[in-house]
Amino acid sequence: MALSGGTDRGSHRMDKSIILPPDEIFRNLENAKRFAIDIGGSLTKLAYYSTVQHKVAKVRSFDHSAKVSFQETDGDPLYEISVQEEITARLHFIKFENAYIETCLDFIKDHLVNTETKVIKATGGGAYKFKDLIEKKLKLKVDKEDEMTCLIKGCNFVLKNIPHEAFVYAKHADSEFRFQNTHPDIFPYLLINIGSGVSIVKVESEDKFERIGGSSIGGGTFWGLGALLTKTKRFDELLQLASKGQHTNVDMLVKDIYGGAYGSLGLTGDLIASSFGKSATTDKEFSKEDMAKSLLHMISNDIGQLACLYAKLHNLTRVYFGGFFIRGHPVTMHTITYSINFFTKGEVQALFLRHEGYLGAIGAFLKGAEEDNPNQYSWGENYAGSSGLMSVSPELNPVQRARSGTFDMLEMDRLERQLVNLPLLHDPTSYIPDTVDLTEDALARDYWLYCFEDALDGVVKRAVASQKDQPEAAERAEKFRQKYRHKLQTLRHQPFAYGSLTVRSLLDTREHCLNEFNFPDPYSKIKQKENDMALKYYLKVVKSVEELSWEQRQFALVKGLLAGNVFDWGAKAVSDVLETDPEFGFEQAKQQLQERPWLVDAYSQWIERMKGPPHKCALFFVDNSGIDIILGVFPFIRELLLRGTEVVLASNSGPALNDVTNSELQILTERIAAMDPVIQSAFKEDRLALVQNGSSSPCLDLSRLDKVLATVVRERGTDLVIIEGMGRAIHTNYYAMLSCESLKLAVIKNSWLAERLGGKIFSVVFKYEVPSKSQEQH
């Protein structure tokens, strides 16, 4: 159903190419609490804040206090799982052409149930033009906000909250888009906003910015002169002409004047000496394409030079470009990038933004929401509800181009906790969580996209099985399958749609899609069963290692940690074994492990270090439930505690695959403490602390961790970080540099990855790293 299908009262009917039903576009509209709108010359950007009701899996311990010993509770389930409704806050951003504004306002009016909002914040030139229409249709007062203030507020917000928001555009590289990581400190920066004219703004902090320069030669100049030269009145058409043109037919180059390069001044022969220079001396007709290309170069070079001069004058290296003129057009981004590289000799990079079109709407929204203080929270992009960066070359896919110009959605969820850097990162500014960027590695990309598609049936089956008592679960699971498959297909054609494509982003997208259809924890029952089973063997494992000599014990504990890590339902090779042989146990897993020397083997260095003084405090990022945490991790940390090392166990805040969550870990620790006096006294005396990591992902981004965890790490003087598991230590953080000792360990449970790393399935990575003196000082 086209958007106009909901109502025919609007004066414009919707474009036939838009096939998304309106409830897919205006999601959760009935719960909308607050609106903001940014109306430009041709596009309207709408932002609204809404609450979303979704299901969460909660675990609650049974009361075993009356039981005398652990043995008496044998056979009872360890805890109960209940699915509860929870309400979270979500931001929605939608853009559509001004031609459809009446239709869209009608749809919004029809679906608003009980909005608390009496005012709609508005910015952009069109906010004056459409003020009366909006007030009449929505019965809301339009409150106008300053355009530049909104723009800066929006820019600060996306740079802080959306990883891979900013990118460098490299036309001739394998991957056109190179995404930047979230910088811990985004200030200061220069924003070059290119609308009709150019504004150059220096941004120094959340609320401090000033317009330090500008130019009347901008997007309007390109459009106006272009219309005179080519008789083409449409902006996008003009850009399309430019993309096919050859500017050297119109521009005079250095070699046209000197016969080659002008060596003593360092000018190459291909450099433009005079824009449109040939048109005065050559008696011929010039093609529209060539003139459009020459004009684009002239204006882009002028803006690029201005940007560089201001960046140098104010000693700034981060320069972001935005505005109507850019809008993700490859030709424009390429000419600006070339110009910046040329004028700064590569010292300054031209940076563009994925959600550049929404900055004004986001800023207007934030202005209206100041009493809620949205900046005190962290926000995350919801991949299930965002349409991603479309292919923007008009010549590549005209249908897509038409569609992305009309609808382009972004959704952001408010996270429960504020996320910050791990204080132990050696250099947060250069930290990259992901080991492989699939946008740049086509072989790996093809493999992993196939892998995730291949695993889809299993995930659907698991999701349905986790909600046996709900008759409509199969239908929801089918919707999940369709949505996630569609995401995978989009990524096959546009790997850069959501920023850098990585194994982590594929896993996170899957989690977002599962949550979207109310499957908060498909592995909850499996985790419960495995935890119950593993607890029965805990004392036996501890007893068997206690009987060994010191050296043998250290090796047995490491081997147990690795064997525990084999039990990962996220790896197909393992889930196949666990499906067919549920009794596949801890001892069998040890036998599967690669014999030493391991694929990456720093065990000798580790054992030497263990002969030395104890660490002050170890931070352990744990992985899976069941055998992994109970029979692998606990005996290992027990040894650290006996040595006098404090231990902080960091586990996921929310479920992902069969990873242990913080609420599950609390119950498991209490149960183990009831059996084991070493764990009991450490837990009571707070030498063993359980902290959530702020994540609901099988991978780990050390630049987005719970603020409480960062505080604990600092206060305890943590000097050892242990990262366990394929997702956390191989797909992410394999190359992460820390300012203290670190241990990264995993068993490779994917034969393709093992081969790529030069090993076989069940190869072992045991990477112990000691920072250099300079890293420690840092």
Side-chain angles (χ1 to χ4, degrees):
M1 179 169 79
L3 186 54
S4 56
T7 168
D8 288 327
R9 292 193 298 263
S11 58
H12 293 277
R13 287 194 65 82
M14 208 36 148
D15 184 334
K16 291 281 191 293
S17 68
I18 310 309
I19 48 171
L20 284 175
D23 54 356
E24 281 255 341
I25 297 151
F26 295 101
R27 283 148 52 92
N28 308 307
L29 192 56
E30 64 280 4
N31 302 322
K33 301 277 186 269
R34 191 179 281 115
F35 287 90
I37 200 160
D38 173 13
I39 309 176
S42 60
L43 289 175
T44 294
K45 281 78 70 178
L46 178 74
Y48 62 96
Y49 164 91
S50 162
T51 53
V52 185
Q53 202 163 11
H54 63 101
K55 288 184 163 44
V56 287
K58 295 275 186 194
V59 302
R60 194 171 67 84
S61 182
F62 286 116
D63 182 13
H64 292 298
S65 52
K67 304 279 170 81
V68 181
S69 71
F70 171 70
Q71 273 67 32
E72 283 194 42
T73 66
D74 207 11
D76 296 348
L78 180 61
Y79 49 80
E80 63 177 347
I81 306 155
S82 63
V83 173
Q84 295 170 17
E85 293 287 339
E86 200 168 83
I87 289 177
T88 52
R90 184 173 285 174
L91 284 176
H92 302 259
F93 303 98
I94 296 146
K95 63 173 135 173
F96 48 84
E97 288 163 20
N98 288 355
Y100 307 123
I101 192 163
E102 281 206 51
T103 316
C104 290
L105 290 173
D106 274 331
F107 186 84
I108 292 167
K109 191 189 86 176
D110 289 350
H111 289 76
L112 277 184
V113 181
N114 53 355
T115 180
E116 298 154 16
T117 306
K118 300 289 173 269
V119 174
I120 182 166
K121 291 284 183 184
T123 189
Y128 295 102
K129 186 177 168 185
F130 292 102
K131 180 176 185 287
D132 294 343
L133 177 71
I134 296 166
E135 291 191 335
K136 188 179 129 208
K137 291 265 185 199
L138 297 185
K139 307 279 189 286
L140 298 175
K141 182 179 173 291
V142 171
D143 194 355
K144 184 86 176 68
E145 288 291 343
D146 176 66
E147 206 168 337
M148 195 51 73
T149 306
C150 290
L151 194 72
I152 303 302
K153 269 194 172 304
C155 196
N156 293 342
F157 184 82
V158 296
L159 287 173
K160 275 198 321 205
N161 287 292
I162 305 184
H164 304 151
E165 173 60 33
F167 62 89
V168 174
Y169 184 75
K171 186 183 178 182
H172 301 297
D174 288 344
S175 168
E176 294 168 85
F177 300 85
R178 295 223 176 111
F179 294 93
Q180 307 286 299
N181 258 54
T182 318
H183 202 284
D185 183 13
I186 60 172
F187 307 110
Y189 65 84
L190 204 59
L191 179 65
I192 316 289
N193 194 51
I194 315 167
S196 302
V198 180
S199 283
I200 298 173
V201 187
K202 179 186 180 183
V203 185
E204 292 183 77
S205 72
E206 206 61 64
D207 300 303
K208 190 180 175 194
F209 64 89
E210 63 172 320
R211 186 183 188 276
I212 53 174
S215 168
S216 62
I217 300 168
T221 319
F222 174 67
W223 200 348
L225 278 177
L228 291 171
L229 289 167
T230 66
K231 303 290 179 276
T232 299
K233 290 284 186 188
R234 292 195 55 194
F235 190 84
D236 283 347
E237 238 170 78
L238 204 54
L239 275 173
Q240 201 159 353
L241 286 174
S243 70
K244 293 172 182 166
Q246 184 54 267
H247 76 100
T248 52
N249 294 334
V250 187
D251 293 341
M252 191 176 282
L253 308 181
V254 168
K255 65 183 175 192
D256 295 325
I257 302 173
Y258 297 104
Y262 192 152
S264 61
L265 288 181
L267 303 176
T268 63
D270 290 329
L271 205 63
I272 300 171
S274 172
S275 294
F276 288 93
K278 283 180 184 166
S279 55
T281 55
T282 311
D283 191 20
K284 70 164 193 174
E285 285 288 313
F286 294 97
S287 77
K288 288 178 178 184
E289 288 83 358
D290 293 350
M291 288 190 289
K293 186 62 167 269
S294 172
L295 183 61
L296 184 68
H297 273 294
M298 181 178 90
I299 288 163
S300 298
N301 285 336
D302 188 53
I303 294 168
Q305 187 163 26
L306 262 180
C308 294
L309 291 170
Y310 277 103
K312 279 195 167 154
L313 189 63
H314 292 268
N315 199 22
L316 295 169
T317 52
R318 270 176 285 181
V319 183
Y320 298 102
F321 288 85
F324 178 78
F325 184 64
I326 305 281
R327 284 188 309 140
H329 273 290
V331 190
T332 320
M333 292 191 297
H334 176 63
T335 49
I336 293 264
T337 300
Y338 181 85
S339 162
I340 291 277
N341 280 343
F342 176 79
F343 290 118
T344 69
K345 298 185 170 58
E347 284 173 25
V348 174
Q349 283 187 320
L351 291 161
F352 305 97
L353 300 168
R354 273 203 296 145
H355 300 103
E356 182 274 320
Y358 284 127
L359 302 185
I362 292 171
F365 172 81
L366 293 171
K367 285 290 284 179
E370 275 171 346
E371 68 268 25
D372 294 346
N373 195 1
N375 276 321
Q376 75 182 9
Y377 299 99
S378 289
W379 298 76
E381 182 173 4
N382 181 342
Y383 295 132
S386 296
S387 53
L389 184 71
M390 291 296 177
S391 169
V392 281
S393 310
E395 63 277 11
L396 284 184
N397 193 335
V399 177
Q400 233 167 36
R401 179 72 200 134
R403 190 179 145 176
S404 68
T406 312
F407 282 112
D408 188 359
M409 295 176 292
L410 163 67
E411 284 186 3
M412 297 184 74
D413 288 332
R414 192 176 81 189
L415 308 175
E416 283 176 48
R417 13 200 78 71
Q418 223 174 337
L419 303 182
V420 296
N421 280 304
L422 177 69
L424 298 168
L425 277 175
H426 164 54
D427 176 14
T429 59
S430 63
Y431 168 70
I432 296 170
D434 303 289
T435 307
V436 179
D437 184 345
L438 303 179
T439 41
E440 292 181 15
D441 188 331
L443 266 176
R445 179 170 72 241
D446 289 346
Y447 171 75
W448 285 111
L449 285 169
Y450 159 76
C451 206
F452 277 89
E453 193 148 0
D454 188 45
L456 202 43
D457 285 346
V459 179
V460 168
K461 193 173 126 193
R462 182 84 35 241
V464 176
S466 72
Q467 297 182 5
K468 279 197 186 95
D469 52 336
Q470 298 190 21
E472 85 303 344
E475 193 186 321
R476 280 187 285 116
E478 196 45 49
K479 284 182 179 168
F480 153 73
R481 182 208 302 274
Q482 286 166 11
K483 182 145 205 172
Y484 188 55
R485 181 170 282 149
H486 175 68
K487 295 275 175 199
L488 293 175
Q489 282 159 353
T490 301
L491 291 165
R492 198 163 261 126
H493 301 298
Q494 288 148 225
F496 47 78
Y498 297 94
S500 285
L501 179 62
T502 60
V503 172
R504 174 169 65 108
S505 71
L506 287 169
L507 284 162
D508 290 352
T509 305
R510 188 166 74 185
E511 294 299 325
H512 290 183
C513 290
L514 279 165
N515 277 314
E516 176 79 13
F517 295 103
N518 273 325
F519 292 108
D521 193 356
Y523 288 84
S524 56
K525 301 273 198 297
I526 290 174
K527 287 190 286 183
Q528 187 176 23
K529 189 175 151 201
E530 291 186 352
N531 286 331
D532 282 341
M533 192 176 74
L535 276 169
K536 291 176 186 150
Y537 295 99
Y538 175 75
L539 286 176
K540 191 178 163 193
V541 169
V542 168
K543 213 165 171 312
S544 69
V545 291
E546 276 181 335
E547 287 165 1
L548 301 170
S549 68
W550 186 86
E551 289 248 356
Q552 287 174 324
R553 185 164 78 246
Q554 303 315 308
F555 187 63
L557 288 166
V558 164
K559 207 168 167 189
L561 199 51
L562 292 164
N565 194 242
V566 169
F567 293 83
D568 180 0
W569 282 86
K572 197 167 182 320
V574 178
S575 61
D576 287 350
V577 171
L578 295 173
E579 289 270 18
T580 51
D581 179 10
E583 295 304 305
F584 177 73
F586 192 45
E587 293 309 315
Q588 288 97 310
K590 286 183 192 171
Q591 286 155 27
Q592 295 274 5
L593 292 179
Q594 175 191 18
E595 290 291 316
R596 286 192 69 203
W598 294 323
L599 184 61
V600 176
D601 195 335
Y603 180 74
S604 305
Q605 292 91 310
W606 169 251
I607 202 71
E608 278 310 303
R609 172 64 187 87
M610 288 293 277
K611 288 173 184 168
H615 295 90
K616 187 173 185 322
C617 175
L619 167 65
F620 197 132
F621 288 99
V622 298
D623 194 11
N624 309 303
S625 281
I627 288 178
D628 190 352
I629 184 76
I630 295 167
L631 305 185
V633 173
F634 266 97
F636 184 86
I637 61 153
R638 185 179 188 275
E639 182 78 5
L640 293 178
L641 291 164
L642 286 167
R643 280 169 59 81
T645 301
E646 289 185 9
V647 175
V648 176
L649 292 182
S651 53
N652 272 9
S653 300
L657 293 171
N658 64 320
D659 294 358
V660 68
T661 62
N662 185 258
S663 50
E664 289 159 356
L665 189 54
Q666 297 280 349
I667 295 168
L668 294 179
T669 308
E670 283 163 19
R671 270 310 265 288
I672 290 171
M675 297 188 262
D676 184 344
V678 175
I679 299 297
Q680 188 170 44
S681 64
F683 197 40
K684 258 192 185 149
E685 294 157 19
D686 202 30
R687 289 181 292 112
L688 170 61
L690 312 179
V691 188
Q692 44 192 315
N693 61 22
S695 165
S696 300
S697 168
C699 295
L700 184 64
D701 180 349
L702 297 175
S703 68
R704 283 171 73 80
L705 291 178
D706 189 346
K707 199 175 181 179
V708 174
L709 176 59
T711 308
V712 169
V713 163
R714 253 194 223 98
E715 285 173 353
R716 297 200 176 218
T718 303
D719 52 356
L720 171 65
V721 173
I722 303 169
I723 306 177
E724 179 211 9
M726 220 161 73
R728 290 169 179 78
I730 307 288
H731 293 312
T732 50
N733 299 306
Y734 191 71
Y735 298 118
M737 290 172 74
L738 300 171
S739 56
C740 69
E741 292 172 51
S742 64
L743 195 54
K744 297 168 190 172
L745 52 107
V747 177
I748 312 289
K749 291 150 290 196
N750 174 292
S751 46
W752 182 88
L753 182 63
E755 237 167 79
R756 215 171 205 226
L757 294 170
K760 294 192 188 77
I761 194 148
F762 299 123
S763 286
V764 170
V765 169
F766 189 89
K767 198 177 186 189
Y768 169 59
E769 292 171 307
V770 181
S772 62
K773 285 280 167 258
S774 66
Q775 277 172 256
E776 281 178 13
Q777 284 157 6
H778 188 98

